[in-house]
Amino acid sequence: MNLDKKIVLLSTKSLHHDIFIKNLILKNIFFDNIFYETSYVKPKFKTHSWIEEKQKNYEFSKLKELKHIELNDCKNFSNFNSDTFLNILKTDKADLGIVFGTRVLNQDVINSFKDGLINVHRGIIDKYRGLDSDLWAYYHKDFKNIGTTIHYINTGIDKGDIIEIKHLNKNKINIETLRYETSMIAARIISTIIIKYKKKLKITSFKQKKLGKYYSFMPKVIKDTLKNV
C-alpha cells in the first residue's frame, strides 16, 4: 500500500464521530491528522430533545466496547474557515480530506486539498440535503430513504458528485440508533475509499441527477412528536 498520500479528517468532537474513527482504526485505516472544529452554527430555536439523550446513551454503550482503541492526537480549531486554520492547511499540505459534521467550508479551504474533500452526509442526498436528514426522512415516514451518502464537496451545500449511496436496512430503523447506524455505514464506505486512494486506484463518482430538498435543524417541538416505529 502506498503511504505517500496524506489524508486528514475534519470533524467535530462527538460520540458518533469517535465511533466512526475507532471503527476505521479497527480496519487499520489511520488519518495523518484529525482536526476538530470547536464552535458551532447554532439555531435560534430549541432543538435538544429526548432523541439526543437516547442516542447518547446508546452510542456511549457502543463506545465502551471500543475503549481499547486509542485515538490519534487531535488538534482543535474554533472555525475551519478562519485564516488560522487555512494557514495550518497550507503547512500541512494534505492531499485528501474527509469531512464529517463541520460547518459549510469556504472555497479557500476546499482548494487547500489537491485531491479534494469528501463529505459524510448521513442522509440520502437526492432526497434530503442539509441537516438532520435521517430525522426528516423519519418524520415524513420515508423510511426507504434513510441512509448515508459519501460525496465530494463543492461550493454548494451537499451538491457535489456522489461516490456512494447506501440505504439503511429497514430492519435497523430505530430512531435511537439512526445516528450510530448511519455513521457505521459511513465508516465502511470511507474505509474502502481510503484503501483505494492509498493504492492509487480510481475513485469513481457521478453527478447528482437531481438535488434533494434542503432541510435545516429539526426543532425540538417536532422531535418530541416522533416515536419509534
Side-chain angles (χ1 to χ4, degrees):
M1 184 179 291
N2 190 311
L3 300 178
D4 292 336
K5 294 290 189 179
K6 191 172 187 179
I7 306 173
V8 302
L9 174 69
L10 278 61
S11 190
T12 51
K13 184 69 175 175
S14 69
L15 293 176
H16 66 293
H17 292 162
D18 282 356
I19 290 170
F20 166 81
I21 298 168
K22 289 192 174 193
N23 272 277
L24 288 177
I25 293 173
L26 283 174
K27 300 175 186 290
N28 290 317
I29 303 294
F30 302 92
F31 296 104
D32 293 279
N33 270 318
I34 296 175
F35 299 120
Y36 280 142
E37 189 172 44
T38 58
S39 67
Y40 305 88
V41 177
K42 297 180 180 179
K44 296 180 180 180
F45 46 84
K46 292 181 179 180
T47 61
H48 191 83
S49 74
W50 67 272
I51 295 173
E52 282 81 10
E53 292 305 313
K54 292 285 189 179
Q55 287 176 332
K56 183 173 68 174
N57 290 338
Y58 183 80
E59 291 164 6
F60 184 73
S61 68
K62 289 295 183 180
L63 200 55
K64 284 177 66 176
E65 297 172 7
L66 300 169
K67 63 182 180 180
H68 60 290
I69 305 295
E70 294 186 5
L71 295 181
N72 297 353
D73 290 335
C74 305
K75 301 174 183 177
N76 295 329
F77 294 88
S78 176
N79 186 333
F80 283 159
N81 289 327
S82 66
D83 289 339
T84 300
F85 185 63
L86 187 60
N87 288 333
I88 292 295
L89 292 180
K90 289 177 180 177
T91 303
D92 194 70
K93 294 183 178 179
D95 298 287
L96 180 71
I98 306 297
V99 178
F100 193 179
T102 73
R103 71 182 69 224
V104 177
L105 301 173
N106 65 31
Q107 190 64 58
D108 288 336
V109 173
I110 296 171
N111 291 344
S112 298
F113 293 85
K114 181 171 66 71
D115 295 327
L117 287 171
I118 292 175
N119 187 53
V120 173
H121 176 69
R122 294 187 310 97
I124 303 304
I125 205 169
D126 56 2
K127 298 290 184 180
Y128 302 90
R129 294 186 300 117
L131 305 173
D132 290 336
S133 295
D134 51 350
L135 295 181
W136 285 114
Y138 195 98
Y139 169 74
H140 291 296
K141 294 182 170 41
D142 188 13
F143 303 122
K144 67 181 182 297
N145 282 310
I146 295 176
T148 299
T149 304
I150 307 299
H151 66 94
Y152 282 106
I153 288 180
N154 60 16
T155 53
I157 299 177
D158 296 334
K159 293 182 179 181
D161 291 357
I162 296 170
I163 298 172
E164 188 169 344
I165 295 180
K166 181 71 174 178
H167 292 74
L168 184 63
N169 186 314
K170 290 183 179 180
N171 294 328
K172 292 187 176 181
I173 295 178
N174 181 312
I175 198 166
E176 299 167 19
T177 65
L178 281 185
R179 192 165 64 185
Y180 169 80
E181 294 293 350
T182 50
S183 297
M184 290 299 292
I185 291 174
R188 291 192 289 271
I189 299 174
I190 290 296
S191 66
T192 300
I193 289 172
I194 290 178
I195 289 170
K196 283 184 177 181
Y197 181 74
K198 290 280 191 176
K199 291 181 176 180
K200 295 188 177 181
L201 299 175
K202 184 177 181 181
I203 300 172
T204 57
S205 61
F206 57 93
K207 293 188 179 300
Q208 298 188 40
K209 294 180 180 179
K210 66 172 184 175
L211 292 178
K213 183 178 178 180
Y214 175 81
Y215 288 85
S216 186
F217 297 95
M218 179 176 280
K220 178 182 186 300
V221 291
I222 294 180
K223 288 180 181 177
D224 285 344
T225 68
L226 302 180
K227 304 294 180 183
N228 278 323
V229 295

mmCIF file of all heavy atoms in Angstrom, residues 93-139:
data_model
loop_
_atom_site.group_PDB
_atom_site.id
_atom_site.type_symbol
_atom_site.label_atom_id
_atom_site.label_comp_id
_atom_site.label_asym_id
_atom_site.label_seq_id
_atom_site.Cartn_x
_atom_site.Cartn_y
_atom_site.Cartn_z
ATOM 1 N N LYS A 93 -0.321 20.512 4.090
ATOM 2 C CA LYS A 93 -0.264 20.034 2.700
ATOM 3 C C LYS A 93 -0.825 18.620 2.551
ATOM 4 O O LYS A 93 -0.186 17.727 1.986
ATOM 5 C CB LYS A 93 1.166 20.108 2.172
ATOM 6 C CG LYS A 93 1.679 21.525 2.060
ATOM 7 C CD LYS A 93 3.080 21.595 1.470
ATOM 8 C CE LYS A 93 3.510 23.049 1.355
ATOM 9 N NZ LYS A 93 4.860 23.216 0.824
ATOM 10 N N ALA A 94 -2.041 18.426 3.064
ATOM 11 C CA ALA A 94 -2.707 17.131 2.894
ATOM 12 C C ALA A 94 -3.211 16.996 1.459
ATOM 13 O O ALA A 94 -3.552 17.988 0.804
ATOM 14 C CB ALA A 94 -3.865 17.013 3.874
ATOM 15 N N ASP A 95 -3.252 15.765 0.985
ATOM 16 C CA ASP A 95 -3.740 15.515 -0.376
ATOM 17 C C ASP A 95 -5.254 15.391 -0.415
ATOM 18 O O ASP A 95 -5.911 15.890 -1.322
ATOM 19 C CB ASP A 95 -3.105 14.225 -0.912
ATOM 20 C CG ASP A 95 -1.605 14.327 -1.010
ATOM 21 O OD1 ASP A 95 -1.132 15.031 -1.913
ATOM 22 O OD2 ASP A 95 -0.902 13.726 -0.179
ATOM 23 N N LEU A 96 -5.806 14.705 0.573
ATOM 24 C CA LEU A 96 -7.242 14.426 0.594
ATOM 25 C C LEU A 96 -7.791 14.691 1.983
ATOM 26 O O LEU A 96 -7.154 14.374 2.990
ATOM 27 C CB LEU A 96 -7.501 12.962 0.204
ATOM 28 C CG LEU A 96 -8.962 12.495 0.174
ATOM 29 C CD1 LEU A 96 -9.690 13.128 -1.011
ATOM 30 C CD2 LEU A 96 -9.029 10.969 0.077
ATOM 31 N N GLY A 97 -8.989 15.258 2.040
ATOM 32 C CA GLY A 97 -9.645 15.482 3.321
ATOM 33 C C GLY A 97 -10.971 14.748 3.393
ATOM 34 O O GLY A 97 -11.708 14.685 2.404
ATOM 35 N N ILE A 98 -11.251 14.170 4.560
ATOM 36 C CA ILE A 98 -12.554 13.571 4.840
ATOM 37 C C ILE A 98 -13.267 14.499 5.814
ATOM 38 O O ILE A 98 -12.687 14.895 6.834
ATOM 39 C CB ILE A 98 -12.412 12.167 5.465
ATOM 40 C CG1 ILE A 98 -11.534 11.266 4.579
ATOM 41 C CG2 ILE A 98 -13.793 11.547 5.693
ATOM 42 C CD1 ILE A 98 -12.085 11.001 3.199
ATOM 43 N N VAL A 99 -14.499 14.862 5.520
ATOM 44 C CA VAL A 99 -15.256 15.817 6.327
ATOM 45 C C VAL A 99 -16.469 15.114 6.928
ATOM 46 O O VAL A 99 -17.219 14.439 6.221
ATOM 47 C CB VAL A 99 -15.714 17.021 5.471
ATOM 48 C CG1 VAL A 99 -16.546 17.987 6.302
ATOM 49 C CG2 VAL A 99 -14.510 17.730 4.859
ATOM 50 N N PHE A 100 -16.647 15.284 8.234
ATOM 51 C CA PHE A 100 -17.784 14.671 8.912
ATOM 52 C C PHE A 100 -18.275 15.619 10.007
ATOM 53 O O PHE A 100 -17.692 15.723 11.074
ATOM 54 C CB PHE A 100 -17.373 13.323 9.523
ATOM 55 C CG PHE A 100 -18.526 12.460 9.979
ATOM 56 C CD1 PHE A 100 -18.280 11.207 10.528
ATOM 57 C CD2 PHE A 100 -19.836 12.855 9.868
ATOM 58 C CE1 PHE A 100 -19.308 10.378 10.950
ATOM 59 C CE2 PHE A 100 -20.891 12.046 10.273
ATOM 60 C CZ PHE A 100 -20.621 10.815 10.818
ATOM 61 N N GLY A 101 -19.344 16.356 9.710
ATOM 62 C CA GLY A 101 -20.020 17.130 10.740
ATOM 63 C C GLY A 101 -19.462 18.505 11.027
ATOM 64 O O GLY A 101 -19.521 18.970 12.163
ATOM 65 N N THR A 102 -18.933 19.196 10.011
ATOM 66 C CA THR A 102 -18.422 20.551 10.220
ATOM 67 C C THR A 102 -19.409 21.573 9.641
ATOM 68 O O THR A 102 -20.402 21.210 9.014
ATOM 69 C CB THR A 102 -17.062 20.740 9.525
ATOM 70 O OG1 THR A 102 -17.256 20.827 8.107
ATOM 71 C CG2 THR A 102 -16.124 19.594 9.839
ATOM 72 N N ARG A 103 -19.102 22.843 9.837
ATOM 73 C CA ARG A 103 -19.867 23.895 9.159
ATOM 74 C C ARG A 103 -19.570 23.844 7.662
ATOM 75 O O ARG A 103 -18.652 23.122 7.223
ATOM 76 C CB ARG A 103 -19.501 25.279 9.721
ATOM 77 C CG ARG A 103 -18.103 25.734 9.334
ATOM 78 C CD ARG A 103 -17.776 27.083 9.958
ATOM 79 N NE ARG A 103 -17.629 26.946 11.407
ATOM 80 C CZ ARG A 103 -18.148 27.787 12.287
ATOM 81 N NH1 ARG A 103 -18.866 28.822 11.896
ATOM 82 N NH2 ARG A 103 -17.959 27.603 13.589
ATOM 83 N N VAL A 104 -20.315 24.574 6.851
ATOM 84 C CA VAL A 104 -20.049 24.657 5.417
ATOM 85 C C VAL A 104 -18.684 25.307 5.219
ATOM 86 O O VAL A 104 -18.392 26.373 5.783
ATOM 87 C CB VAL A 104 -21.136 25.481 4.696
ATOM 88 C CG1 VAL A 104 -20.804 25.627 3.215
ATOM 89 C CG2 VAL A 104 -22.500 24.808 4.866
ATOM 90 N N LEU A 105 -17.836 24.661 4.437
ATOM 91 C CA LEU A 105 -16.458 25.120 4.264
ATOM 92 C C LEU A 105 -16.337 26.053 3.065
ATOM 93 O O LEU A 105 -16.994 25.849 2.032
ATOM 94 C CB LEU A 105 -15.531 23.912 4.091
ATOM 95 C CG LEU A 105 -15.545 22.922 5.260
ATOM 96 C CD1 LEU A 105 -14.734 21.677 4.913
ATOM 97 C CD2 LEU A 105 -15.006 23.576 6.534
ATOM 98 N N ASN A 106 -15.485 27.063 3.213
ATOM 99 C CA ASN A 106 -15.352 28.028 2.126
ATOM 100 C C ASN A 106 -14.393 27.516 1.040
ATOM 101 O O ASN A 106 -13.731 26.491 1.187
ATOM 102 C CB ASN A 106 -14.926 29.406 2.656
ATOM 103 C CG ASN A 106 -13.529 29.410 3.281
ATOM 104 O OD1 ASN A 106 -12.637 28.661 2.880
ATOM 105 N ND2 ASN A 106 -13.329 30.274 4.280
ATOM 106 N N GLN A 107 -14.338 28.273 -0.052
ATOM 107 C CA GLN A 107 -13.572 27.840 -1.214
ATOM 108 C C GLN A 107 -12.083 27.733 -0.933
ATOM 109 O O GLN A 107 -11.397 26.846 -1.454
ATOM 110 C CB GLN A 107 -13.805 28.803 -2.382
ATOM 111 C CG GLN A 107 -13.255 28.306 -3.710
ATOM 112 C CD GLN A 107 -13.947 27.048 -4.197
ATOM 113 O OE1 GLN A 107 -15.160 27.034 -4.376
ATOM 114 N NE2 GLN A 107 -13.195 25.980 -4.407
ATOM 115 N N ASP A 108 -11.558 28.617 -0.087
ATOM 116 C CA ASP A 108 -10.128 28.565 0.230
ATOM 117 C C ASP A 108 -9.764 27.253 0.912
ATOM 118 O O ASP A 108 -8.709 26.668 0.637
ATOM 119 C CB ASP A 108 -9.739 29.742 1.134
ATOM 120 C CG ASP A 108 -9.725 31.066 0.397
ATOM 121 O OD1 ASP A 108 -9.555 31.050 -0.839
ATOM 122 O OD2 ASP A 108 -9.894 32.111 1.053
ATOM 123 N N VAL A 109 -10.625 26.784 1.814
ATOM 124 C CA VAL A 109 -10.376 25.506 2.492
ATOM 125 C C VAL A 109 -10.467 24.363 1.486
ATOM 126 O O VAL A 109 -9.611 23.466 1.454
ATOM 127 C CB VAL A 109 -11.374 25.295 3.652
ATOM 128 C CG1 VAL A 109 -11.220 23.895 4.239
ATOM 129 C CG2 VAL A 109 -11.169 26.350 4.729
ATOM 130 N N ILE A 110 -11.493 24.390 0.653
ATOM 131 C CA ILE A 110 -11.671 23.337 -0.357
ATOM 132 C C ILE A 110 -10.453 23.260 -1.275
ATOM 133 O O ILE A 110 -9.949 22.172 -1.578
ATOM 134 C CB ILE A 110 -12.952 23.593 -1.176
ATOM 135 C CG1 ILE A 110 -14.187 23.508 -0.275
ATOM 136 C CG2 ILE A 110 -13.072 22.583 -2.324
ATOM 137 C CD1 ILE A 110 -15.473 23.968 -0.944
ATOM 138 N N ASN A 111 -9.969 24.403 -1.681
ATOM 139 C CA ASN A 111 -8.834 24.451 -2.623
ATOM 140 C C ASN A 111 -7.511 24.027 -1.989
ATOM 141 O O ASN A 111 -6.531 23.816 -2.698
ATOM 142 C CB ASN A 111 -8.676 25.862 -3.192
ATOM 143 C CG ASN A 111 -9.814 26.248 -4.113
ATOM 144 O OD1 ASN A 111 -10.570 25.395 -4.578
ATOM 145 N ND2 ASN A 111 -9.962 27.538 -4.361
ATOM 146 N N SER A 112 -7.487 23.899 -0.660
ATOM 147 C CA SER A 112 -6.250 23.516 0.025
ATOM 148 C C SER A 112 -5.916 22.042 -0.134
ATOM 149 O O SER A 112 -4.817 21.611 0.231
ATOM 150 C CB SER A 112 -6.353 23.860 1.516
ATOM 151 O OG SER A 112 -6.509 25.242 1.715
ATOM 152 N N PHE A 113 -6.847 21.264 -0.659
ATOM 153 C CA PHE A 113 -6.651 19.816 -0.797
ATOM 154 C C PHE A 113 -6.503 19.454 -2.275
ATOM 155 O O PHE A 113 -7.443 19.636 -3.062
ATOM 156 C CB PHE A 113 -7.826 19.064 -0.165
ATOM 157 C CG PHE A 113 -7.897 19.223 1.323
ATOM 158 C CD1 PHE A 113 -8.537 20.319 1.885
ATOM 159 C CD2 PHE A 113 -7.302 18.293 2.163
ATOM 160 C CE1 PHE A 113 -8.597 20.483 3.264
ATOM 161 C CE2 PHE A 113 -7.357 18.443 3.540
ATOM 162 C CZ PHE A 113 -8.001 19.548 4.092
ATOM 163 N N LYS A 114 -5.328 18.959 -2.611
ATOM 164 C CA LYS A 114 -5.005 18.664 -4.012
ATOM 165 C C LYS A 114 -6.014 17.733 -4.655
ATOM 166 O O LYS A 114 -6.413 17.921 -5.811
ATOM 167 C CB LYS A 114 -3.596 18.055 -4.093
ATOM 168 C CG LYS A 114 -3.133 17.718 -5.504
ATOM 169 C CD LYS A 114 -1.674 17.334 -5.520
ATOM 170 C CE LYS A 114 -1.441 16.025 -4.768
ATOM 171 N NZ LYS A 114 -1.989 14.854 -5.523
ATOM 172 N N ASP A 115 -6.437 16.723 -3.912
ATOM 173 C CA ASP A 115 -7.366 15.732 -4.460
ATOM 174 C C ASP A 115 -8.785 15.889 -3.912
ATOM 175 O O ASP A 115 -9.610 14.991 -4.050
ATOM 176 C CB ASP A 115 -6.849 14.321 -4.178
ATOM 177 C CG ASP A 115 -5.538 14.048 -4.919
ATOM 178 O OD1 ASP A 115 -5.376 14.594 -6.033
ATOM 179 O OD2 ASP A 115 -4.692 13.316 -4.387
ATOM 180 N N GLY A 116 -9.049 17.035 -3.297
ATOM 181 C CA GLY A 116 -10.408 17.360 -2.911
ATOM 182 C C GLY A 116 -10.794 16.966 -1.495
ATOM 183 O O GLY A 116 -9.996 16.417 -0.729
ATOM 184 N N LEU A 117 -12.041 17.267 -1.168
ATOM 185 C CA LEU A 117 -12.644 16.931 0.116
ATOM 186 C C LEU A 117 -13.822 15.998 -0.118
ATOM 187 O O LEU A 117 -14.637 16.217 -1.018
ATOM 188 C CB LEU A 117 -13.144 18.194 0.829
ATOM 189 C CG LEU A 117 -12.109 19.127 1.436
ATOM 190 C CD1 LEU A 117 -12.775 20.417 1.899
ATOM 191 C CD2 LEU A 117 -11.412 18.457 2.615
ATOM 192 N N ILE A 118 -13.908 14.970 0.711
ATOM 193 C CA ILE A 118 -15.005 14.008 0.634
ATOM 194 C C ILE A 118 -15.849 14.141 1.894
ATOM 195 O O ILE A 118 -15.330 14.112 3.005
ATOM 196 C CB ILE A 118 -14.472 12.573 0.488
ATOM 197 C CG1 ILE A 118 -13.806 12.406 -0.884
ATOM 198 C CG2 ILE A 118 -15.591 11.542 0.671
ATOM 199 C CD1 ILE A 118 -13.136 11.056 -1.084
ATOM 200 N N ASN A 119 -17.146 14.305 1.703
ATOM 201 C CA ASN A 119 -18.049 14.558 2.821
ATOM 202 C C ASN A 119 -18.873 13.329 3.181
ATOM 203 O O ASN A 119 -19.312 12.567 2.316
ATOM 204 C CB ASN A 119 -19.007 15.696 2.462
ATOM 205 C CG ASN A 119 -19.862 16.119 3.637
ATOM 206 O OD1 ASN A 119 -19.360 16.414 4.713
ATOM 207 N ND2 ASN A 119 -21.183 16.135 3.445
ATOM 208 N N VAL A 120 -19.076 13.160 4.493
ATOM 209 C CA VAL A 120 -20.016 12.165 5.012
ATOM 210 C C VAL A 120 -21.339 12.866 5.266
ATOM 211 O O VAL A 120 -21.428 13.763 6.099
ATOM 212 C CB VAL A 120 -19.502 11.535 6.322
ATOM 213 C CG1 VAL A 120 -20.570 10.627 6.928
ATOM 214 C CG2 VAL A 120 -18.208 10.766 6.087
ATOM 215 N N HIS A 121 -22.351 12.470 4.515
ATOM 216 C CA HIS A 121 -23.698 13.026 4.695
ATOM 217 C C HIS A 121 -24.607 11.909 5.172
ATOM 218 O O HIS A 121 -24.875 10.953 4.440
ATOM 219 C CB HIS A 121 -24.210 13.592 3.367
ATOM 220 C CG HIS A 121 -25.625 14.098 3.440
ATOM 221 N ND1 HIS A 121 -25.978 15.211 4.156
ATOM 222 C CD2 HIS A 121 -26.772 13.615 2.892
ATOM 223 C CE1 HIS A 121 -27.287 15.410 4.037
ATOM 224 N NE2 HIS A 121 -27.783 14.448 3.290
ATOM 225 N N ARG A 122 -25.065 12.026 6.403
ATOM 226 C CA ARG A 122 -25.914 10.972 6.959
ATOM 227 C C ARG A 122 -27.352 11.160 6.478
ATOM 228 O O ARG A 122 -28.256 11.478 7.222
ATOM 229 C CB ARG A 122 -25.844 10.969 8.483
ATOM 230 C CG ARG A 122 -24.488 10.594 9.048
ATOM 231 C CD ARG A 122 -24.509 10.428 10.553
ATOM 232 N NE ARG A 122 -25.134 11.562 11.231
ATOM 233 C CZ ARG A 122 -26.397 11.598 11.641
ATOM 234 N NH1 ARG A 122 -27.193 10.548 11.469
ATOM 235 N NH2 ARG A 122 -26.881 12.672 12.230
ATOM 236 N N GLY A 123 -27.507 10.954 5.194
ATOM 237 C CA GLY A 123 -28.818 11.078 4.569
ATOM 238 C C GLY A 123 -28.735 10.657 3.113
ATOM 239 O O GLY A 123 -27.636 10.492 2.571
ATOM 240 N N ILE A 124 -29.877 10.467 2.512
ATOM 241 C CA ILE A 124 -29.944 10.166 1.076
ATOM 242 C C ILE A 124 -30.025 11.498 0.352
ATOM 243 O O ILE A 124 -31.039 12.182 0.373
ATOM 244 C CB ILE A 124 -31.147 9.265 0.751
ATOM 245 C CG1 ILE A 124 -31.073 7.979 1.583
ATOM 246 C CG2 ILE A 124 -31.186 8.939 -0.741
ATOM 247 C CD1 ILE A 124 -29.796 7.176 1.435
ATOM 248 N N ILE A 125 -28.925 11.865 -0.295
ATOM 249 C CA ILE A 125 -28.697 13.241 -0.708
ATOM 250 C C ILE A 125 -29.653 13.728 -1.787
ATOM 251 O O ILE A 125 -29.956 14.925 -1.866
ATOM 252 C CB ILE A 125 -27.223 13.396 -1.153
ATOM 253 C CG1 ILE A 125 -26.758 14.833 -1.000
ATOM 254 C CG2 ILE A 125 -27.026 12.889 -2.572
ATOM 255 C CD1 ILE A 125 -25.262 15.001 -1.166
ATOM 256 N N ASP A 126 -30.141 12.827 -2.640
ATOM 257 C CA ASP A 126 -31.049 13.294 -3.688
ATOM 258 C C ASP A 126 -32.480 13.472 -3.178
ATOM 259 O O ASP A 126 -33.379 13.856 -3.927
ATOM 260 C CB ASP A 126 -31.014 12.370 -4.909
ATOM 261 C CG ASP A 126 -31.329 10.927 -4.578
ATOM 262 O OD1 ASP A 126 -31.618 10.629 -3.403
ATOM 263 O OD2 ASP A 126 -31.292 10.090 -5.499
ATOM 264 N N LYS A 127 -32.678 13.215 -1.895
ATOM 265 C CA LYS A 127 -33.965 13.453 -1.242
ATOM 266 C C LYS A 127 -33.852 14.496 -0.137
ATOM 267 O O LYS A 127 -34.718 15.360 0.010
ATOM 268 C CB LYS A 127 -34.512 12.147 -0.651
ATOM 269 C CG LYS A 127 -34.801 11.053 -1.672
ATOM 270 C CD LYS A 127 -35.992 11.417 -2.528
ATOM 271 C CE LYS A 127 -36.331 10.263 -3.481
ATOM 272 N NZ LYS A 127 -37.501 10.584 -4.338
ATOM 273 N N TYR A 128 -32.793 14.386 0.655
ATOM 274 C CA TYR A 128 -32.641 15.236 1.835
ATOM 275 C C TYR A 128 -31.223 15.789 1.912
ATOM 276 O O TYR A 128 -30.272 15.050 2.148
ATOM 277 C CB TYR A 128 -32.933 14.438 3.113
ATOM 278 C CG TYR A 128 -34.321 13.838 3.142
ATOM 279 C CD1 TYR A 128 -34.554 12.557 2.632
ATOM 280 C CD2 TYR A 128 -35.397 14.555 3.660
ATOM 281 C CE1 TYR A 128 -35.828 12.013 2.641
ATOM 282 C CE2 TYR A 128 -36.674 14.016 3.677
ATOM 283 C CZ TYR A 128 -36.880 12.746 3.162
ATOM 284 O OH TYR A 128 -38.145 12.204 3.172
ATOM 285 N N ARG A 129 -31.090 17.100 1.685
ATOM 286 C CA ARG A 129 -29.807 17.782 1.865
ATOM 287 C C ARG A 129 -29.845 18.554 3.181
ATOM 288 O O ARG A 129 -30.900 18.759 3.767
ATOM 289 C CB ARG A 129 -29.540 18.758 0.707
ATOM 290 C CG ARG A 129 -29.345 18.094 -0.629
ATOM 291 C CD ARG A 129 -28.935 19.112 -1.702
ATOM 292 N NE ARG A 129 -29.937 20.143 -1.870
ATOM 293 C CZ ARG A 129 -29.754 21.433 -1.625
ATOM 294 N NH1 ARG A 129 -28.565 21.867 -1.182
ATOM 295 N NH2 ARG A 129 -30.707 22.312 -1.796
ATOM 296 N N GLY A 130 -28.666 18.974 3.628
ATOM 297 C CA GLY A 130 -28.609 19.809 4.815
ATOM 298 C C GLY A 130 -28.498 19.027 6.103
ATOM 299 O O GLY A 130 -27.760 18.046 6.179
ATOM 300 N N LEU A 131 -29.260 19.442 7.108
ATOM 301 C CA LEU A 131 -29.103 18.938 8.468
ATOM 302 C C LEU A 131 -30.213 17.973 8.865
ATOM 303 O O LEU A 131 -31.327 18.030 8.331
ATOM 304 C CB LEU A 131 -29.088 20.119 9.454
ATOM 305 C CG LEU A 131 -28.051 21.198 9.168
ATOM 306 C CD1 LEU A 131 -28.255 22.380 10.096
ATOM 307 C CD2 LEU A 131 -26.641 20.651 9.298
ATOM 308 N N ASP A 132 -29.883 17.093 9.804
ATOM 309 C CA ASP A 132 -30.861 16.145 10.375
ATOM 310 C C ASP A 132 -31.603 15.362 9.297
ATOM 311 O O ASP A 132 -32.801 15.077 9.418
ATOM 312 C CB ASP A 132 -31.871 16.889 11.257
ATOM 313 C CG ASP A 132 -31.253 17.416 12.538
ATOM 314 O OD1 ASP A 132 -30.228 16.863 12.973
ATOM 315 O OD2 ASP A 132 -31.803 18.383 13.112
ATOM 316 N N SER A 133 -30.881 14.975 8.256
ATOM 317 C CA SER A 133 -31.524 14.309 7.121
ATOM 318 C C SER A 133 -32.208 13.011 7.516
ATOM 319 O O SER A 133 -33.287 12.684 6.997
ATOM 320 C CB SER A 133 -30.492 14.027 6.019
ATOM 321 O OG SER A 133 -30.002 15.227 5.483
ATOM 322 N N ASP A 134 -31.579 12.247 8.421
ATOM 323 C CA ASP A 134 -32.186 10.993 8.855
ATOM 324 C C ASP A 134 -33.495 11.243 9.606
ATOM 325 O O ASP A 134 -34.496 10.547 9.404
ATOM 326 C CB ASP A 134 -31.211 10.181 9.716
ATOM 327 C CG ASP A 134 -30.600 10.980 10.858
ATOM 328 O OD1 ASP A 134 -30.776 12.214 10.897
ATOM 329 O OD2 ASP A 134 -29.937 10.369 11.712
ATOM 330 N N LEU A 135 -33.502 12.268 10.447
ATOM 331 C CA LEU A 135 -34.700 12.574 11.224
ATOM 332 C C LEU A 135 -35.816 13.139 10.353
ATOM 333 O O LEU A 135 -36.996 12.843 10.575
ATOM 334 C CB LEU A 135 -34.374 13.554 12.346
ATOM 335 C CG LEU A 135 -33.431 13.046 13.430
ATOM 336 C CD1 LEU A 135 -33.211 14.126 14.489
ATOM 337 C CD2 LEU A 135 -33.976 11.772 14.077
ATOM 338 N N TRP A 136 -35.472 13.945 9.358
ATOM 339 C CA TRP A 136 -36.504 14.474 8.466
ATOM 340 C C TRP A 136 -37.139 13.366 7.631
ATOM 341 O O TRP A 136 -38.360 13.363 7.411
ATOM 342 C CB TRP A 136 -35.923 15.567 7.572
ATOM 343 C CG TRP A 136 -35.696 16.859 8.276
ATOM 344 C CD1 TRP A 136 -34.498 17.466 8.545
ATOM 345 C CD2 TRP A 136 -36.685 17.723 8.838
ATOM 346 N NE1 TRP A 136 -34.678 18.647 9.229
ATOM 347 C CE2 TRP A 136 -36.024 18.833 9.421
ATOM 348 C CE3 TRP A 136 -38.085 17.670 8.898
ATOM 349 C CZ2 TRP A 136 -36.704 19.872 10.057
ATOM 350 C CZ3 TRP A 136 -38.765 18.713 9.529
ATOM 351 C CH2 TRP A 136 -38.071 19.787 10.103
ATOM 352 N N ALA A 137 -36.336 12.419 7.177
ATOM 353 C CA ALA A 137 -36.898 11.272 6.462
ATOM 354 C C ALA A 137 -37.815 10.474 7.385
ATOM 355 O O ALA A 137 -38.887 10.022 6.983
ATOM 356 C CB ALA A 137 -35.775 10.391 5.918
ATOM 357 N N TYR A 138 -37.378 10.316 8.616
ATOM 358 C CA TYR A 138 -38.176 9.598 9.614
ATOM 359 C C TYR A 138 -39.490 10.332 9.873
ATOM 360 O O TYR A 138 -40.566 9.725 9.939
ATOM 361 C CB TYR A 138 -37.374 9.477 10.912
ATOM 362 C CG TYR A 138 -37.906 8.472 11.900
ATOM 363 C CD1 TYR A 138 -37.371 7.193 11.974
ATOM 364 C CD2 TYR A 138 -38.938 8.810 12.770
ATOM 365 C CE1 TYR A 138 -37.852 6.274 12.894
ATOM 366 C CE2 TYR A 138 -39.431 7.897 13.684
ATOM 367 C CZ TYR A 138 -38.883 6.628 13.743
ATOM 368 O OH TYR A 138 -39.375 5.719 14.641
ATOM 369 N N TYR A 139 -39.424 11.642 10.004
ATOM 370 C CA TYR A 139 -40.612 12.465 10.244
ATOM 371 C C TYR A 139 -41.632 12.293 9.119
ATOM 372 O O TYR A 139 -42.846 12.215 9.354
ATOM 373 C CB TYR A 139 -40.197 13.932 10.374
ATOM 374 C CG TYR A 139 -41.330 14.915 10.364
ATOM 375 C CD1 TYR A 139 -42.165 15.062 11.473
ATOM 376 C CD2 TYR A 139 -41.566 15.716 9.240
ATOM 377 C CE1 TYR A 139 -43.209 15.970 11.464
ATOM 378 C CE2 TYR A 139 -42.600 16.628 9.226
ATOM 379 C CZ TYR A 139 -43.428 16.752 10.333
ATOM 380 O OH TYR A 139 -44.461 17.660 10.315
#
